[in-house]
Amino acid sequence: MLTSTVCAAVSAAGLGIALVTAYRKRFRAAIRLAAWSLIPVGLVMTGVVDWLTGLVLKPTVWAGFGVLALSALLFLAGRAADRRGGGRKERRAADGAPGRDVVAPAASAPSLGSARRGKPASGDEDFSDIEAILKKHGI
């Protein structure tokens, strides 16, 4: 009963503010305010407010929220354990099963082509330091 009165008062106040806003020639803002202020009365009339107040005041509902929170914490702890202790990729590699990360051993060596095997041309610069960095990173 008290929640219905509070919702009606909030809606009346919102509609009053919407009227003042419309008086100031801000019609779009007034329409939005009127729409927002009709929501509490609509919720009371549909019974949603009574359902929510009954839901909030029951201890079994709070226990259910506690169980859901515990479940979420367990999911997060499981994900954290997978990240720290090794996930599926490491377990698959330990079992000897081939994974998606398998690369041919020769594929990491850069191919220099036939033109780079000899001496560099007179206009070319020496890129040996760049080649060393690329070899270091396996490119």
Side-chain angles (χ1 to χ4, degrees):
M1 181 72 166
L2 179 65
T3 55
S4 302
T5 306
V6 169
C7 287
V10 167
S11 291
L15 288 174
I17 294 170
L19 284 174
V20 170
T21 306
Y23 179 75
R24 292 181 180 172
K25 308 277 189 213
R26 297 180 59 207
F27 296 112
R28 284 190 287 175
I31 290 172
R32 281 193 303 263
L33 281 169
W36 278 106
S37 48
L38 288 175
I39 290 175
V41 169
L43 291 175
V44 167
M45 293 173 83
T46 57
V48 173
V49 173
D50 292 332
W51 178 74
L52 282 174
T53 56
L55 184 76
V56 169
L57 299 176
K58 290 183 182 177
T60 55
V61 173
W62 286 104
F65 283 129
V67 169
L68 289 174
L70 177 65
S71 172
L73 284 174
L74 289 175
F75 275 122
L76 292 174
R79 287 188 60 136
D82 271 349
R83 288 183 184 163
R84 277 194 172 187
R88 294 180 193 142
K89 289 180 185 177
E90 287 81 8
R91 277 189 256 134
R92 202 179 327 139
D95 293 341
R100 293 183 187 184
D101 300 338
V102 176
V103 177
S108 64
S111 64
L112 299 176
S114 60
R116 291 290 297 150
R117 289 189 184 167
K119 292 183 177 180
S122 60
D124 289 342
E125 296 177 7
D126 189 21
F127 293 109
S128 61
D129 55 342
I130 296 173
E131 288 177 5
I133 293 172
L134 291 174
K135 285 181 184 179
K136 177 182 171 185
H137 290 289
I139 299 175

